């Protein structure tokens, strides 16, 4: 019986993203391989050791799922329904999901949700996935303050700007310029292994996945300054339906 | 007890390598970026550097050029344990030899056992430690 072959082409954008995801997945897989090897060498069967492997594997699976969600939306296999979504509650959920990985990377996560209560037009699973991917990439890029060894602080925040409602992640230490971000996009599209050298030693695939998911909702990922912090955030449009309530 | 300086940008991988090196009896210091590695090297006076080439903000190769410009660091052995793939390393092999990379290991496929074996061999062959 002949196999039926569909002539299937992934867009160049998603080919670049797949390349980035494949590179990025080396890190959690290396961690799991080396962590288990170390545990065997040292006879370490502690809960902490097993939990760290679990957290790493979970984070890697989330990355894969975010990529697949973006791909399915891009290929219209999944209809992107937009509805009024609360950025505050979405960021709250994202923060809960990030607790374990933030602890692993010794990063202190803060929530600043006081800035906006107006819902935005978005797709909740896609927005959650985008913010989770972006935030995970940010957390994994953090290294401790050299002089003091203090924890890095990352803030998940939502607030108003002239163009709309912002939801994103901010750092007290990293300052990323728009020029650097644009350069990172170029390098990513050219399948550079380390497109965002200023921020990350890895392919930072989560950041580019977030960008794709946000683009599907007609939202942009931009560099934003907020309360003396600098970060990356999505600018979303308020829900007109609920503006009059 | 030999002293190792580990330059590894990923924090959780750095912890595993540090634990493995300590388990093997080495004294280990860790830095996550090249910017501080020269300062740390001066304080620690390592016998060996184990490093990733793909760093944040700075380039591992540039760091090695800078390190080798100091007379006291011209002969310190360097083991590269890197995510840079073998094909790319091979393209720049002459350059890497020029800046004194003693060994190259491809990190995704190098077990802790193999890394420790390489470190042991490099240290045994090191003139500074054997004099």
């Amino acid at each position: 019986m002949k196999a039926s072959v569909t002539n299937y082409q992934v867009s160049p954008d998603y080919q670049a993203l797949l390349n980035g995801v494949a590179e990025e997945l080396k890190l959690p897989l290396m961690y799991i391989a080396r962590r288990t090897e170390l545990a065997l060498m040292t006879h370490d069967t502690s809960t902490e050791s097993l939990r760290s492997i679990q957290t790493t594997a979970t984070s890697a699976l989330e990355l894969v799922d975010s990529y697949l969600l973006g791909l399915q939306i891009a290929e219209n296999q999944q209809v992107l329904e937009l509805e009024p979504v609360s950025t505050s509650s979405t960021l709250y959920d994202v923060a809960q999901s990030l607790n374990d990985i933030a602890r692993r990377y010794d990063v202190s996560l803060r929530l600043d949700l006081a800035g906006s209560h107006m819902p935005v037009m978005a797709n909740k699973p896609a927005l959650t996935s985008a913010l989770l991917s972006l935030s995970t990439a940010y957390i994994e890029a953090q290294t401790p303050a050299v002089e003091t060894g203090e924890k890095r602080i990352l803030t998940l925040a939502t607030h108003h700007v002239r163009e709309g409602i912002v939801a994103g992640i901010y750092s007290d230490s990293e300052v990323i310029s728009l020029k650097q971000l644009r350069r990172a996009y170029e390098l990513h599209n050219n399948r550079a292994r380390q497109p965002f050298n200023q921020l990350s030693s890895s392919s930072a695939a989560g950041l580019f996945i977030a960008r794709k998911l946000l683009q599907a909702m007609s939202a942009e990922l931009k560099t934003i300054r907020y309360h003396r912090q600098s970060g990356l955030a999505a600018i979303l449009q308020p829900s007109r339906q609920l503006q009059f309530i | 007890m030999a002293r190792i300086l580990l330059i590894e940008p990923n924090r959780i991988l750095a912890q595993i390598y540090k634990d493995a090196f300590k388990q093997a009896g080495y004294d280990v210091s860790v830095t996550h970026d090249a910017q501080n590695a020269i300062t740390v090297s001066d304080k620690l006076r390592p016998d060996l550097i184990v490093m990733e080439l793909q760093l944040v903000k700075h380039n591992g190769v540039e760091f090695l050029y800078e390190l080798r410009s100091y007379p006291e660091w011209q002969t310190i052995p360097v083991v590269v344990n890197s995510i840079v793939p073998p094909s790319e390393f091979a393209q720049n092999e002459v350059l890497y030899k020029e800046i004194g990379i003693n060994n190259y290991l491809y990190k995704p496929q190098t077990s802790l056992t193999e890394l420790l074996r390489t470190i042991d061999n490099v240290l045994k062959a090191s003139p500074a430690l054997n004099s």
Side-chain angles (χ1 to χ4, degrees), chain A residues 34 37 193-194 197 201, chain B residues 54-55 57 88 107 112:
Chain A
R34 306 294 169 257
E37 186 185 357
R193 209 178 41 254
Q194 189 189 7
N197 164 268
S201 64
Chain B
Q54 194 166 292
L55 302 171
K57 292 192 179 105
E88 200 173 304
K107 194 191 281 180
L112 293 176

Side-chain angles (χ1 to χ4, degrees), chain B residues 4-5 7 34 45 67 72 75-76 79 87 94 99-100 110-111:
Chain B
I4 296 178
L5 172 61
I7 308 173
R45 297 277 146 181
L67 186 75
E72 65 268 38
T75 57
I76 184 170
V79 172
S87 52
V94 171
I99 52 174
T110 300
S111 65

Side-chain angles (χ1 to χ4, degrees), chain B residues 45-73:
Chain B
R45 297 277 146 181
D47 301 301
L48 172 76
I49 294 175
V50 176
M51 67 177 288
E52 168 60 70
L53 287 178
Q54 194 166 292
L55 302 171
V56 180
K57 292 192 179 105
H58 300 94
N59 183 291
V61 171
E62 287 167 5
F63 159 73
L64 281 173
Y65 265 119
E66 191 185 343
L67 186 75
R68 295 301 189 203
S69 70
Y70 294 90
E72 65 268 38
W73 298 120

Side-chain angles (χ1 to χ4, degrees), chain A residues 23 26-27 30-32 34-35 37-38 41-42 56 104-107 140-144 146-147 149-150 173-174 193-194 196-203, chain B residues 8-13 15-17 19-20 23 31-33 36 52-59 83-85 88 106-114 116:
Chain A
E23 285 290 339
K26 287 181 190 174
L27 281 172
M30 274 195 290
Y31 179 80
I32 291 167
R34 306 294 169 257
R35 192 77 191 80
E37 186 185 357
L38 185 64
M41 280 162 67
T42 57
T56 302
R104 297 268 327 285
Y105 278 85
D106 215 21
V107 163
E140 289 172 347
Q142 299 305 306
T143 53
V146 171
E147 299 80 20
E150 281 174 4
S173 59
E174 302 298 335
R193 209 178 41 254
Q194 189 189 7
F196 212 159
N197 164 268
Q198 286 300 316
L199 179 70
S200 175
S201 64
S202 75
S203 71
Chain B
E8 170 53 61
N10 185 282
R11 191 186 175 128
I12 58 172
L13 275 179
Q15 190 60 50
I16 295 178
Y17 288 124
D19 290 346
Q23 170 77 8
T31 180
H32 300 293
D33 60 67
N36 301 294
E52 168 60 70
L53 287 178
Q54 194 166 292
L55 302 171
V56 180
K57 292 192 179 105
H58 300 94
N59 183 291
I83 204 154
V84 170
E88 200 173 304
Y106 181 46
K107 194 191 281 180
Q109 290 175 12
T110 300
S111 65
L112 293 176
T113 306
E114 188 183 345
L116 287 167

